[in-house]
Amino acid sequence: MARNFLDLSDAGGDAIAAMINDAIDRKAARAGMPKAQPDADAPLAGHVLAMIFEKNSTRTRVSFDMAMRQLGGSALVLDAASTQLGRGESLADTARVLSRMADAIMIRTDDHSKAEEMARHATVPVINGLTDRSHPCQIVADLLTVVEHGKAIPGLEVAWVGDGNNVLSSILEAAGLLKFNVRAGTPEGYEPEPEFIELARAGGSTVTLTADAVEAVRDADVVVTDTWVSMGQEHAVGKLAAMAPFQVNEALMAHAKPDALFLHCLPAHLGDEVTEGVFESAQSVVFDEAENRIHAQKSILRWAHQQL
Ligand code: CP
Ligand code: NVA
């Protein structure tokens, strides 16, 4: 059975912790090396990752490509629209063909069931590079960034402010697996997905739901937000007005712990979900977070290949 990474629970808490440790070690070991030079042990030498994109991407696309280069392998980018998928070839057949030609598949798509369908028919690992349901790879990079900045994950108080979206769902899933707490400050009608709230609570995480951004952020160790309009939701009527009180600005950040970190998966919309002042502040670690997508992907790929 191939090891799929469609959601964080596919790996579990111990494996995610191992990924974070592996990423820290490998990142340190290659400090100062040219970005595309393979790591000394090149653990995925000769391997190729096929990446299917049905949505735009900068970080996920480049970080998986760089991750494969650093692991000694390579990656192919397939724009779904220009493949036979775009002309109606089934996901099942595409999965079987790519399994003969590549060693792993990453898919970014809208409906999560498409990633599941791909995984059902592939004989190589399938990795979720974002769906409307979740963004598990992002959260491995986020937790890596938090640890790198000196914070322990168990017991961490993470405040989410804004839209109850796919990224928040994966944060909640991680919370249950790695025992940290989440305060979600979201407007009415944009609350987190109940399934993920339950997952977090079942894992022993304390989840606080509030429509008050200040209550969410008070004494938090980490403050996280994301775009108010996710890909595919461009026509959501009335959403921006509902989100306006949930902007992460200097006044809101002042309610978090003085050494709180600010995270954002990017791309950011300054003046909407975050002010330029917070985004550019010393508390903001968003570019470490973006760079860490490479190091996190490497550990996810190694786990998928049963090397972790
Ligand atoms: N954070 C993230 O997934 O970025 P991209 O959409 O650029 O891949
Ligand atoms: N929630 C955003 C994340 C982008 C990386 C989206 O789905 O568009």
Side-chain angles (χ1 to χ4, degrees):
M1 276 286 282
R3 271 190 179 176
N4 300 312
F5 191 68
L6 299 186
D7 273 314
L8 293 163
S9 301
D10 291 339
D14 290 348
I16 295 165
M19 289 176 198
I20 293 167
N21 291 334
D22 179 65
I24 288 170
D25 290 348
R26 296 191 81 88
K27 183 176 178 180
R30 63 169 293 114
M33 278 165 60
K35 291 186 176 70
Q37 187 174 321
D39 292 344
D41 57 347
L44 291 184
H47 287 64
V48 64
L49 170 72
M51 299 193 275
I52 301 171
F53 285 96
E54 291 196 309
K55 287 182 173 182
N56 295 47
S57 171
T58 298
R59 280 144 290 269
T60 303
R61 173 179 171 155
V62 177
S63 62
F64 267 111
D65 192 328
M66 295 307 297
M68 284 304 292
R69 291 177 199 225
Q70 292 185 8
L71 293 171
S74 58
L76 303 168
V77 175
L78 306 173
D79 163 22
S82 65
T83 65
Q84 297 291 4
L85 268 175
R87 294 181 58 252
E89 187 170 16
S90 70
L91 282 163
D93 288 355
T94 305
R96 289 186 288 177
V97 170
L98 291 179
S99 295
R100 302 289 185 102
M101 297 183 176
D103 300 288
I105 300 168
M106 188 235 76
I107 180 164
R108 168 170 284 198
T109 187
D110 41 21
D111 192 336
H112 192 76
S113 66
K114 292 189 191 173
E116 291 174 330
E117 170 84 349
M118 183 66 82
R120 251 194 309 281
H121 295 281
T123 54
V124 297
V126 175
I127 296 171
N128 171 6
L130 180 146
T131 65
D132 289 351
R133 169 186 164 88
S134 56
H135 196 4
C137 296
Q138 180 69 51
I139 304 319
V140 181
D142 290 6
L143 294 174
L144 164 59
T145 306
V146 166
V147 171
E148 236 181 8
H149 283 271
K151 297 190 187 295
I153 294 174
L156 200 70
E157 297 291 333
V158 175
W160 175 276
V161 184
D163 187 21
N165 67 12
N166 47 359
V167 175
L168 174 57
S169 290
S170 290
I171 289 178
L172 285 165
E173 187 167 18
L177 294 171
L178 292 163
K179 317 299 173 207
F180 62 89
N181 303 319
V182 179
R183 301 95 163 278
T186 59
E188 202 179 317
Y190 299 97
E191 290 89 356
E193 283 297 323
E195 175 193 342
F196 285 97
I197 298 169
E198 287 317 309
L199 264 182
R201 288 182 174 154
S205 166
T206 300
V207 179
T208 307
L209 305 176
T210 173
D212 178 352
V214 171
E215 188 190 340
V217 164
R218 192 172 289 124
D219 295 326
D221 298 300
V222 178
V223 177
V224 198
T225 191
D226 185 12
T227 180
W228 288 340
V229 183
S230 284
M231 290 180 276
Q233 299 180 348
E234 285 76 7
H235 304 295
V237 177
K239 191 168 182 185
L240 294 189
M243 290 292 158
F246 294 82
Q247 181 188 65
V248 180
N249 52 37
E250 291 85 333
L252 187 66
M253 276 304 282
H255 292 279
K257 287 194 182 141
D259 66 345
L261 301 174
F262 172 72
L263 295 183
H264 188 313
C265 65
L266 307 182
H269 308 81
L270 301 189
D272 284 346
E273 73 270 11
V274 60
T275 57
E276 185 176 6
V278 171
F279 190 81
E280 300 292 350
S281 71
Q283 286 170 277
S284 171
V285 292
V286 297
F287 295 105
D288 291 339
E289 183 183 1
E291 180 195 334
N292 280 338
R293 294 296 304 280
I294 298 177
H295 306 290
Q297 298 335 1
K298 289 168 72 177
S299 299
I300 293 165
L301 286 160
R302 270 164 44 70
W303 174 83
H305 287 89
Q306 318 220 12
Q307 294 182 352
L308 285 182

